[in-house]
């Protein structure tokens, strides 16, 4: 989001919008923005902010309309073309997205973002001239452009069978990206330890049923690139379920608990332990209320597929005891390599180092296993490889867990034209297939740091619920 400019005559208004935006309160930020005097509604800054907010709230048609007007009046602002292409991709307009990105590259060949977005279109192939331009731009560009260029060039080389050279570029891009993050940003072991210590079987039993009465949310959790978008697309093809992508709401509630002056404890988990039944119910109801602006239908169920909510399962079970939680799981080497290939915008600090990915996967496995033991039946596991190989029975079991009747539209998920805002957008618009299942095998010799960090998780990742034990390996 563009920062307010120094010469803006109403800095206080812009500061309020920016504050709400930084707190992920996008609907409130939009309402505040729309309260500006009508004379400002045609300004570049106002229109750019509104387009961004509409996109974050899932109104991509509205976003595209505003971006088109801005591109007409400011054709040389290359970032607008990138934003437009991203919105087109989300809506499944791949050919339009490619054309828009080509325009952006023509305007600014060394700008890394359009190259990366092109590489993230799984059906797109770079030509020789593209590879030459990216190689030259990496040699002469700034790190902010070299990072996405390394990832894009790696994909181009990988597609041509130049596996080792492609992996080398992935490694370069990841090292550069990791250098922009705080040390140990992707390490969650202490947090997982505290969660396991707090949410014991007795703790959960003592608070059973104390949260909101709503059964509307369906959470899909796990590591990124584990099949969560496919699961979401299957569920969102059911007439009773709405898919609204990844919501920032549970992390935001966590932050509110962490600073609540009415809770006399310094540690988040100690604060959660102090929450009364009324407070747990209020937090759950608040989540439902805050999800409303993201919704576009009145279907009784909706999906929140923020992957990192696996760290928040304890809080979710306390404040939304009737919600469904689905664990999207995939082979750890497939998951690890797929994340290593991805240049995320934010929210995946673990993904830029193979050893950190392994440790992160291991912590994820520890915590999910803990809740399988202390809260049996609360989590439904979907293993990506099993879903692909045994599709209809897996879909029927999934729908039964959610509590809805089987609908054949869920088997034809690829015909669903809904917006999809994740890297898997193109895959879920195709019938079920095994195209990406074994890609990691081509680079297995280079995944040694990942294997070592995974330790027992490499062999125990698909054990039946509750059976994984690190000490048993």
């Amino acid at each position: 989001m563009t920062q307010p400019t120094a010469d803006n005559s109403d800095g206080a208004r812009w500061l309020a919008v920016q504050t709400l935006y930084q707190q992920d309160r996008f609907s409130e930020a939009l309402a505040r923005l729309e309260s500006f005097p009508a004379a400002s509604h045609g300004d570049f800054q106002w229109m750019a902010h509104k387009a961004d907010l509409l996109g974050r709230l899932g109104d991509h048609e509205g976003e595209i309309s505003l971006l088109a007007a801005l591109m007409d009046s400011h054709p040389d602002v290359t970032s607008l073309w990138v934003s437009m292409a991203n919105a087109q991709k989300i809506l499944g307009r791949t050919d339009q997205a490619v054309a828009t990105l080509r325009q952006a590259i023509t305007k600014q060949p060394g700008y890394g973002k359009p190259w990366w977005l092109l590489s993230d279109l799984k059906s797109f192939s770079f030509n020789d001239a593209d590879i030459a331009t990216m190689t030259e731009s990496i040699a002469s560009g700034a790190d902010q452009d070299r990072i996405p260029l390394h990832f894009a060039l790696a994909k181009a080389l990988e597609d041509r069978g130049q596996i080792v050279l492609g992996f080398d570029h992935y490694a370069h891009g990841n090292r550069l990206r990791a250098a922009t993050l705080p040390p140990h940003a992707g390490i969650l072991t202490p947090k997982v330890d505290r969660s396991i210590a707090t949410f014991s079987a007795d703790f959960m039993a003592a608070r059973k049923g104390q949260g909101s009465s709503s059964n509307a949310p369906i959470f899909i959790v796990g590591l990124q690139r584990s099949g969560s978008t496919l699961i979401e697309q299957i569920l969102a093809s059911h007439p009773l379920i709405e898919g609204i992508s990844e919501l920032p709401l549970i992390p935001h509630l966590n932050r509110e608990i962490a600073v609540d002056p009415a809770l006399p404890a310094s540690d988040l988990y100690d604060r959660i332990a102090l929450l009364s039944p009324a407070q747990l119910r209020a937090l759950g109801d608040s989540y439902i209320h805050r999800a409303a602006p993201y919704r576009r239908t009145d279907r009784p169920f909706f999906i929140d597929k923020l992957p990192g909510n696996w760290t928040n399962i304890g809080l979710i079970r306390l404040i939304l005891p009737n919600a469904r939680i689905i664990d999207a799981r995939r082979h750890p080497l497939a998951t690890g390599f797929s994340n290593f290939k991805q240049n995320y915008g934010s929210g995946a600090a673990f993904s830029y180092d193979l050893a950190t990915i392994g440790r992160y996967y291991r912590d994820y496995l520890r915590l999910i296993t803990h809740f399988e033991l202390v809260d049996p039946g609360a989590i439904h596991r979907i293993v990506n490889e099993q879903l692909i190989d045994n599709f209809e029975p897996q879909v029927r079991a999934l729908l039964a867990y959610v509590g809805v009747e089987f609908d054949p539209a869920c088997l034809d998920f690829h015909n669903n034209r809904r917006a999809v805002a994740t890297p898997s957008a193109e895959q879920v618009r195709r019938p079920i297939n095994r195209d990406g299942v074994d890609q990691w095998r081509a680079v297995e010799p280079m995944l040694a740091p990942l294997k070592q960090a995974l330790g027992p998780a490499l062999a125990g990742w698909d054990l039946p619920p509750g059976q994984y034990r690190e000490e048993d390996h």
Side-chain angles (χ1 to χ4, degrees), residues 34-322:
E34 290 179 331
S35 73
F36 281 30
S40 66
H41 291 194
D43 294 347
F44 177 92
Q45 186 179 13
W46 190 92
M47 294 174 69
H49 276 67
K50 183 172 181 179
D52 182 56
L53 286 165
L54 289 175
R56 293 189 179 270
L57 289 167
D59 182 2
H60 299 290
E61 294 289 1
E63 178 189 15
I64 284 175
S65 178
L66 280 170
L67 288 171
L70 286 168
M71 289 161 63
D72 283 343
S73 58
H74 299 80
D76 294 327
V77 180
T78 319
S79 60
L80 294 173
W81 296 76
V82 173
S83 296
M84 172 65 87
N86 191 57
Q88 291 167 334
K89 173 195 171 186
I90 288 170
L91 293 176
R93 302 169 188 172
T94 304
D95 291 344
Q96 292 180 20
V98 170
T100 302
L101 290 167
R102 284 294 190 193
Q103 289 266 27
I105 288 168
T106 299
K107 294 173 182 295
Q108 194 175 347
Y111 184 28
K113 285 185 178 180
W115 290 108
W116 162 245
L117 278 178
L118 278 175
S119 74
D120 208 30
L121 296 168
K122 310 306 179 187
S123 59
F124 179 82
S125 295
F126 290 108
N127 58 39
D128 291 345
D130 293 332
I131 290 175
T133 301
M134 286 190 284
T135 302
E136 180 182 343
S137 298
I138 285 173
S140 60
D143 281 357
Q144 65 184 25
D145 291 312
R146 291 171 62 213
I147 292 170
L149 283 164
H150 272 299
F151 280 95
L153 183 55
K155 176 64 164 52
L157 294 169
E158 183 186 15
D159 287 347
R160 292 181 170 214
Q162 296 176 256
I163 303 300
V164 175
L165 185 56
F167 192 91
D168 187 54
H169 279 284
Y170 282 130
H172 275 290
N174 276 293
R175 281 195 294 270
L176 289 171
R177 185 64 189 274
T180 69
L181 301 171
H184 311 300
I187 302 298
L188 294 186
T189 303
K191 182 175 182 177
V192 170
D193 290 342
R194 285 291 289 120
S195 187
I196 289 173
T198 299
F199 299 108
S200 66
D202 289 344
F203 182 96
M204 300 301 290
R207 292 159 178 79
K208 189 175 180 64
Q210 290 186 358
S212 171
S213 62
S214 175
N215 69 345
I218 302 169
F219 293 92
I220 304 176
V221 304
L223 268 70
Q224 287 85 336
R225 315 299 298 139
S226 295
S228 61
T229 303
L230 174 58
I231 297 169
E232 179 191 39
Q233 186 79 343
I234 291 166
L235 289 174
S237 298
H238 195 284
L240 297 180
I241 303 172
E242 179 179 6
I244 52 177
S245 197
E246 302 174 6
L247 303 183
L249 304 179
I250 293 294
H252 187 65
L253 290 176
N254 254 336
R255 291 194 293 270
E256 290 184 1
I257 294 169
V259 298
D260 186 347
L263 297 171
S266 58
D267 175 83
L268 171 64
Y269 297 95
D270 289 340
R271 286 169 172 265
I272 290 174
L274 293 174
L275 292 169
S276 67
Q279 288 172 313
L280 293 173
R281 183 172 60 254
L283 285 165
D285 290 341
S286 177
Y287 171 87
I288 298 299
H289 174 74
R290 296 182 196 197
Y294 295 89
R295 304 198 60 185
R296 295 288 178 268
T297 75
D298 60 356
R299 296 181 181 187
F301 302 102
F302 68 89
I303 302 164
D304 179 347
K305 64 168 293 292
L306 187 70
N309 271 335
W310 68 265
T311 64
N312 300 317
I313 288 174
L315 179 64
I316 291 170
R317 290 293 295 153
L318 294 183
I319 70 173
L320 293 160
N322 299 310

Side-chain angles (χ1 to χ4, degrees), residues 318-332:
L318 294 183
I319 70 173
L320 293 160
N322 299 310
R324 303 294 191 269
I325 302 174
I326 298 161
D327 168 26
R329 190 173 300 191
R330 185 182 179 193
H331 191 291

